[in-house]
Amino acid sequence: MEEGRTPGFLPPEPAGPEPELGPAPGAPPSYQPPAGAAPPASPGWQQQPPPGYRTPHAREPDNGPAVAGFVLSLVGGSLLILSVGFSSLVSVGLSIAGIIYSRKGRDLVTSGHTRKNGGLAQAGFVIGIVSLVLAVLATLAWIAILVVALTDDSFRNDLQDKYDSGQSVSAALRLGATTLRVAAHLLV
């Protein structure tokens, strides 16, 4: 054995061109057009897909306005409920923005631009309208309470007495009950 060589390993083969490979044994013959058939005159000989058809490789466009409208409407309504109407003005703005974006998302679906999130756009639109109506009612109720508080001395004195006595929880409950009575009186 020669010195410096490891037993069982051969030196690498020199680089060269790859050999020509023919058809695999047993493979069907490749397609040959019939004798006398002319090749197509132009590369546009293939039939074009119908309008609106998307190939399997084409990516469906996203529907960001539908998602944004749903989120804005949901946040507007949730904020209104969680803050017991204190955020009514913010909820009005969020609900209006949610309605606008949901409408844009719904228009993208109906125009055929995308098929994504059509249901989300519809839900955002409905939630936005409900949130807007509730926020407007809450805003009107707070305006009515403010007007009554500024013009009615007995209401203001009762409110002052309730808070000065140190019974903040019962005062808050009484304030809520008074608010409901005032709102019911204004609606009737």
Side-chain angles (χ1 to χ4, degrees):
M1 184 174 218
E2 297 176 15
E3 276 192 51
R5 291 190 52 127
T6 311
F9 291 103
L10 298 175
E13 301 251 345
E18 297 230 356
E20 280 288 320
L21 299 176
S30 62
Y31 172 75
Q32 298 293 329
S42 68
W45 63 274
Q46 294 178 340
Q47 182 181 2
Q48 297 296 323
Y53 175 77
R54 298 194 189 282
T55 61
H57 303 294
R59 186 169 174 258
E60 181 81 26
D62 288 335
N63 195 347
V67 176
F70 178 76
V71 170
L72 287 169
S73 296
L74 194 62
V75 168
S78 299
L79 187 62
L80 180 72
I81 291 169
L82 292 176
S83 70
V84 193
F86 282 117
S87 68
S88 60
L89 294 177
V90 174
S91 293
V92 166
L94 288 172
S95 298
I96 290 172
I99 291 169
I100 291 170
Y101 277 106
S102 294
R103 185 98 190 232
K104 284 181 184 179
R106 197 171 63 180
D107 289 344
L108 287 175
V109 172
T110 57
S111 70
H113 183 70
T114 184
R115 293 176 295 180
K116 286 187 172 181
N117 301 327
L120 206 59
Q122 184 66 29
F125 187 74
V126 170
I127 292 171
I129 289 176
V130 170
S131 297
L132 180 63
V133 168
L134 292 175
V136 166
L137 289 175
T139 302
L140 292 175
W142 283 114
I143 290 172
I145 290 170
L146 183 64
V147 167
V148 169
L150 292 176
T151 58
D152 190 9
D153 288 333
S154 65
F155 179 79
R156 202 174 24 225
N157 290 337
D158 286 344
L159 192 61
Q160 181 95 21
D161 292 341
K162 302 290 186 215
Y163 282 118
D164 283 345
S165 66
Q167 300 171 346
S168 59
V169 174
S170 62
L173 291 175
R174 288 185 188 129
L175 178 62
T178 306
T179 303
L180 290 175
R181 276 188 267 139
V182 168
H185 186 287
L186 290 175
L187 294 176
V188 176

